[in-house]
Amino acid sequence: MYFIDVQGTLISDIDKSPIEGSVEFISHLNAQKIPYMIVTNNTKKSSKDFYEYLRSIGFDISFDKYLDPLMLLKTKVDKKSVAAYGAPEFLKTLESMDFSLDFVKPKTVLIAIKEDFTADEYAQMIDFLLAGASLVGMHETSIYAKNSKRYPGVGAILKLLEFATSVSYEVVGKPSDAFYTQALKQLQKQDTSAQFNSITMISDDVKGDLGGAKELGMKTIFVTSGKYKSAQEIVPLLDENLKPDLVYKNMQEIMEKI
């Protein structure tokens, strides 16, 4: 049984095309009737739109096997009075979901990803948090890769704000327990015996995705087709109990081993 990341794992961070072996891996799981869930940190497109994009580039996935943070957002954040920070597409998606954006006196500071946060935006976030707003991250990625550059991920930004204000934060998507628990519930509709210790999580985010998966008892596979150029960049620096069980170049290499 598998939980499978998308960006950097199934599709390229550069042009959003399928990574070598990824379409074939999903087809293999379907053919063998192996239970799996696609667990992505998508926030730029609506859940349905991103799911349909994956379908359009060859991934034979049913919607009941798909989960992203937008699908759980209403359980974490009141739609009223949200100061949201992220790419323009993210803000438009929130508005389409009837979230009310408030940059005067918000109840919640909500962080998604973009590569060009400004010092003034950080200053505004800090002021809102010190005035009593809660802090929520759409996910807790360690690094954001785009245009052959690597930027601090949402997890890094959340920790910056927590250190600056002493305001603790919640996470909607990976690697929150709530997100993985929801994914498990959906997986159990495919196989009622599914438990975290019977699942293998595959991702290119060895800290933001796989660390949380390990803590819940999942086996982990780290692919170096996304955020990191090699396992040597990051794995030796991890705590021993958070190191991935296996490391592969990409999904094609996993296909050759199963």
Side-chain angles (χ1 to χ4, degrees), residues 1-5 25 29 34-39 67 174 177 179-203 209-210 212-222 244-246:
M1 303 182 196
Y2 293 93
F3 286 171
I4 308 167
D5 176 44
F25 185 77
L29 298 182
I34 297 171
Y36 68 92
M37 284 293 300
I38 302 301
V39 288
L67 186 66
K174 293 177 293 179
D177 288 2
F179 186 85
Y180 280 139
T181 297
Q182 180 60 37
L184 176 62
K185 287 178 181 177
Q186 290 180 222
L187 189 70
Q188 287 171 336
K189 294 177 181 178
Q190 302 173 49
D191 187 327
T192 56
S193 71
Q195 297 296 330
F196 285 129
N197 61 11
S198 60
I199 297 167
T200 297
M201 173 75 194
I202 306 173
S203 175
D209 287 359
L210 300 184
K214 287 281 279 189
E215 289 174 343
L216 289 171
M218 288 181 256
K219 301 178 183 66
T220 58
I221 296 178
F222 174 38
D245 296 298
L246 296 167

Side-chain angles (χ1 to χ4, degrees), residues 24-61:
E24 293 81 2
F25 185 77
I26 298 300
S27 295
H28 168 78
L29 298 182
N30 290 335
Q32 298 299 314
K33 301 188 184 309
I34 297 171
Y36 68 92
M37 284 293 300
I38 302 301
V39 288
T40 173
N41 280 331
N42 162 64
T43 55
K44 289 185 179 180
K45 295 179 179 288
S46 72
S47 302
K48 275 288 189 180
D49 284 350
F50 191 61
Y51 163 75
E52 290 296 347
Y53 172 73
L54 294 176
R55 294 272 303 173
S56 75
I57 59 173
F59 292 100
D60 184 11
I61 302 163

Side-chain angles (χ1 to χ4, degrees), residues 42-144:
N42 162 64
T43 55
K44 289 185 179 180
K45 295 179 179 288
S46 72
S47 302
K48 275 288 189 180
D49 284 350
F50 191 61
Y51 163 75
E52 290 296 347
Y53 172 73
L54 294 176
R55 294 272 303 173
S56 75
I57 59 173
F59 292 100
D60 184 11
I61 302 163
S62 57
F63 193 61
D64 60 338
K65 295 181 180 180
Y66 174 94
L67 186 66
D68 71 25
L70 294 168
M71 298 164 74
L72 275 67
L73 185 56
K74 66 181 181 181
T75 67
K76 291 284 187 180
V77 177
D78 190 325
K79 289 185 175 183
K80 299 176 183 178
S81 189
V82 177
Y85 298 87
E89 300 96 324
F90 170 61
L91 302 187
K92 289 178 182 177
T93 296
L94 288 182
E95 289 179 321
S96 73
M97 295 171 66
D98 297 323
F99 279 81
S100 177
L101 300 185
D102 179 358
F103 294 93
V104 178
K105 195 175 180 181
K107 295 179 181 178
T108 306
V109 171
L110 181 62
I111 310 294
I113 200 62
K114 69 173 182 174
E115 68 269 24
D116 56 352
F117 281 116
T118 67
D120 283 345
E121 284 178 305
Y122 287 129
Q124 189 178 59
M125 295 174 202
I126 288 169
D127 281 345
F128 291 154
L129 294 170
L130 292 177
S134 60
L135 177 59
V136 179
M138 289 300 296
H139 45 78
E140 201 174 8
T141 48
S142 54
I143 286 176
Y144 173 52

Side-chain angles (χ1 to χ4, degrees), residues 94 161 253:
L94 288 182
L161 293 170
E253 197 165 271

Side-chain angles (χ1 to χ4, degrees), residues 146-161:
K146 186 176 181 181
N147 301 325
S148 300
K149 295 180 181 179
R150 292 179 284 185
Y151 303 90
V154 171
I157 294 167
L158 291 170
K159 291 186 184 302
L160 177 155
L161 293 170

